[in-house]
Structure formats: structure tokens, C-alpha cells
């Protein structure tokens, strides 16, 4: 049976992860072991739990106990649930809770890039994408449009940051992902795993995204660059393909999250599952 506790003292230890700590601080909480993250909204929490992440404590407005968050309370039956009115929650977290629930959760040890790519046909590679909203939107598109995994360079925003996972609707817990060891895309590693690399960039030698040779490749790594500057020159020059999305009305490019949806739709639909 879940234990529901009315908040009378915001200084108790079970509430420490919701109180005043930045997400980078939570990330490094148990170093060298994996740290903590905060999941927001019943859907995100549900997908995190189903993805094997362990809940530490739940926080929600009193009105949501029998509402949107009821299923989460039942799912996390051994997790303490703390509740109070909106003012109490704001005084604890510093923001108004509008998505039903927060859950402090334990991170898992990330797999290696080789491990998550071994059985993949189509992967997304994000090079120094720093906006958490973009990260979340890209993961949602990756999950919906047949990407088997996501790799991130060291400069990328953490997919488990609260805003990223919320925007992704919890798909960050469904699509395998990990960080590469490099600050730019390790195209040599991808090639060694049998992937052809497709750098999304506006270059004179770019091929159209529906290029027949590109579409016929057995394994493709779709590489997306940082907001504003795009991909590094090193990544573009070392990639097997430079790929563009045709534009109209004088528009030169799309936001990286929008471009990812187009690229994943076009290239992800050609994948075949490895048996």
C-alpha cells in the first residue's frame, strides 16, 4: 500500500531532491555512481518506471492524488508520496507544479555506444545540441519514426533533465541512448560498426534526403548539429554523405528538432530489423 504523507516540514530528507538543487548537482549526486534525476508528469514517470528506473519519492498537489496521478501512486506502491497545496509545493520546488507529479529517480549506468548500436539499423547522432526542449523533441521523433538508438556527443544537454524528458513525453526512457566519448561525432567508430554516416548540413555537395543510394544503405547514422552553428567541419568532411532537406520560400534551414522529424521519417522508414 502506498504511504501518502502531508507535507508539514519541507526540510525532511525525503524531499531534499526537490529542494534547491540544480540538475547538474543531482546528476553528480552519487559520483562515481549514477546520480539522481527528476521526472515530471504521470506519463513521463510511468515510462521511466517501465524503463527500469527506480523511484525514490513522489511529490504532487493534493488534488492530483485521486486524479491524473492516481495510477502512478499505484504503480510506485513502495515509494513514499508527499503532498500539499500549491503554495507548499511552490515553496519547496520554486515553481508551480502543473503536470500532476514529480518523482525523484535513480539514474542507471549508461551502456557503451557499441552496445546500443550492435543490433541497430538506424541511429540518430546529436552533436552538441544544448537546448533541452530540442533534445526532448528529437527523442520523441526518434521513438515515433523508427530510430533504434540515439548517440550524443559530450557537449549535448542531458536527456534526463526535467524539461528534456517532459518534452519527449518519456520517450527518453524507451529509446536506447548514451554518450560518445568525444566532443564531436566519432565517425570512425560508427564506420567500424558498419554504419554509413549522413551529416545533415547545407553544403554544395549535399545530396537530397530522398537520394536513392542513401536510402538503400543497410545501416545509417543520421547526424544532427548544434543550434545555430550546425555540425563541425570535421564531422561534415569525415561523413559518408552530406544530406540536405530541400527548402522553399527562401527558407535556408529548419530548427534541429523539426529537421530531425523530417530526416527520421524519410530515412527511418527504410530500416529492416536485424534478427
Amino acid at each position: 500500500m502506498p504511504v501518502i504523507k502531508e507535507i508539514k516540514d519541507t526540510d525532511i530528507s525525503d524531499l531534499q531532491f526537490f529542494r534547491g538543487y540544480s540538475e547538474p548537482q543531482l546528476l553528480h549526486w552519487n559520483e562515481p555512481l549514477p546520480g539522481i534525476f527528476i521526472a515530471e508528469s504521470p506519463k513521463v514517470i510511468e515510462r521511466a518506471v517501465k524503463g527500469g528506473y527506480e523511484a525514490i519519492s513522489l511529490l504532487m498537489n493534493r488534488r492530483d492524488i485521486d486524479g491524473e496521478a492516481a495510477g502512478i501512486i499505484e504503480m510506485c506502491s513502495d515509494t513514499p508520496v508527499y503532498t500539499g497545496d500549491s503554495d507548499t509545493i511552490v515553496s519547496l520546488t520554486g515553481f508551480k507544479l502543473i503536470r500532476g507529479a514529480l518523482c525523484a529517480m535513480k539514474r542507471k549506468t549508461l551502456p557503451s555506444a557499441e552496445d546500443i548500436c550492435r543490433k541497430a539499423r538506424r541511429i540518430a547522432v546529436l552533436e552538441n545540441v544544448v537546448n533541452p526542449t530540442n533534445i526532448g523533441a528529437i527523442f520523441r521523433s526518434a521513438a515515433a519514426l523508427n530510430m533504434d538508438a540515439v548517440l550524443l556527443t559530450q557537449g549535448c544537454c542531458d536527456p534526463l533533465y526535467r524539461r528534456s524528458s517532459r518534452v519527449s513525453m518519456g520517450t527518453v526512457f524507451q529509446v536506447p541512448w548514451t554518450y560518445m566519448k568525444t566532443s564531436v561525432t566519432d565517425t570512425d567508430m560508427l564506420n567500424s560498426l558498419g554504419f554509413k554516416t549522413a551529416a545533415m548540413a547545407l553544403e554544395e555537395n549535399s545530396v537530397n534526403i530522398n537520394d536513392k543510394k542513401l536510402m538503400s544503405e543497410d545501416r545509417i547514422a543520421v547526424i544532427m548539429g548544434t543550434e545555430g552553428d550546425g555540425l563541425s567541419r570535421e564531422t561534415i568532411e569525415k561523413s559518408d554523405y552530406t544530406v540536405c532537406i530541400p527548402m522553399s520560400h527562401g527558407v535556408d534551414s529548419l530548427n534541429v528538432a523539426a529537421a530531425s522529424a523530417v530526416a527520421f521519417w524519410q530515412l527511418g522508414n527504410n530500416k529492416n530489423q536485424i534478427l
Side-chain angles (χ1 to χ4, degrees):
M1 287 291 292
V3 178
I4 299 176
K5 303 178 180 181
E6 185 77 17
I7 299 173
K8 297 180 180 179
D9 180 2
T10 58
D11 289 329
I12 63 174
S13 60
D14 275 357
L15 296 175
Q16 62 182 322
F17 300 124
F18 305 111
R19 184 184 58 244
Y21 290 108
S22 68
E23 291 186 297
Q25 286 176 313
L26 293 176
L27 169 64
H28 298 289
W29 190 267
N30 291 321
E31 236 170 23
L33 298 176
I36 306 295
F37 69 95
I38 304 296
E40 181 180 1
S41 89
K43 176 59 71 177
V44 173
I45 297 167
E46 176 186 353
R47 286 179 169 166
V49 172
K50 288 182 176 178
Y53 291 84
E54 181 182 345
I56 300 171
S57 58
L58 280 157
L59 175 67
M60 62 188 64
N61 285 319
R62 191 183 300 112
R63 66 173 184 270
D64 293 314
I65 291 175
D66 298 318
E68 188 180 7
I72 295 302
I73 295 175
E74 183 177 352
M75 178 180 288
C76 303
S77 58
D78 295 328
T79 304
V81 180
Y82 291 89
T83 186
D85 58 27
S86 180
D87 289 343
T88 300
I89 302 297
V90 170
S91 70
L92 175 63
T93 63
F95 60 90
K96 188 175 181 179
L97 181 58
I98 59 175
R99 292 285 185 172
L102 295 177
C103 186
M105 310 192 82
K106 293 182 179 180
R107 290 175 178 265
K108 297 192 293 186
T109 300
L110 289 174
S112 68
E114 291 79 3
D115 283 344
I116 69 169
C117 290
R118 188 165 290 118
K119 294 185 178 181
R121 291 285 191 181
R122 297 290 189 263
I123 63 172
V125 181
L126 308 184
E127 184 174 284
N128 302 328
V129 178
V130 298
N131 186 294
T133 298
N134 285 335
I135 289 285
I138 292 169
F139 265 86
R140 191 171 182 180
S141 292
L145 301 173
N146 294 317
M147 292 293 109
D148 299 311
V150 178
L151 298 181
L152 305 97
T153 63
Q154 289 292 315
C156 283
C157 173
D158 186 345
L160 298 191
Y161 279 176
R162 183 171 59 87
R163 185 167 181 81
S164 297
S165 63
R166 188 183 74 221
V167 171
S168 82
M169 290 297 291
T171 55
V172 295
F173 308 112
Q174 296 177 308
V175 180
W177 65 273
T178 197
Y179 283 97
M180 289 185 283
K181 298 177 181 179
T182 52
S183 59
V184 296
T185 304
D186 189 345
T187 52
D188 291 335
M189 181 270 290
L190 293 169
N191 288 151
S192 73
L193 294 174
F195 288 93
K196 293 295 185 180
T197 50
M200 303 298 299
L202 298 172
E203 298 284 309
E204 288 186 4
N205 64 339
S206 294
V207 300
N208 193 299
I209 196 168
N210 66 357
D211 180 81
K212 290 183 177 180
K213 184 179 179 182
L214 171 65
M215 291 288 294
S216 67
E217 295 289 0
D218 186 47
R219 307 177 97 177
I220 297 177
V222 184
I223 311 174
M224 317 292 296
T226 186
E227 301 87 349
D229 293 335
L231 289 170
S232 67
R233 176 52 49 187
E234 176 183 349
T235 296
I236 294 171
E237 291 177 351
K238 293 183 69 175
S239 292
D240 298 298
Y241 294 89
T242 307
V243 183
C244 70
I245 300 170
M247 299 282 120
S248 64
H249 296 291
V251 177
D252 62 355
S253 64
L254 296 173
N255 164 274
V256 65
S260 73
V262 176
F264 300 164
W265 167 254
Q266 182 67 38
L267 301 176
N269 281 330
N270 194 40
K271 73 164 193 165
N272 295 301
Q273 190 67 33
I274 290 180
L275 301 178

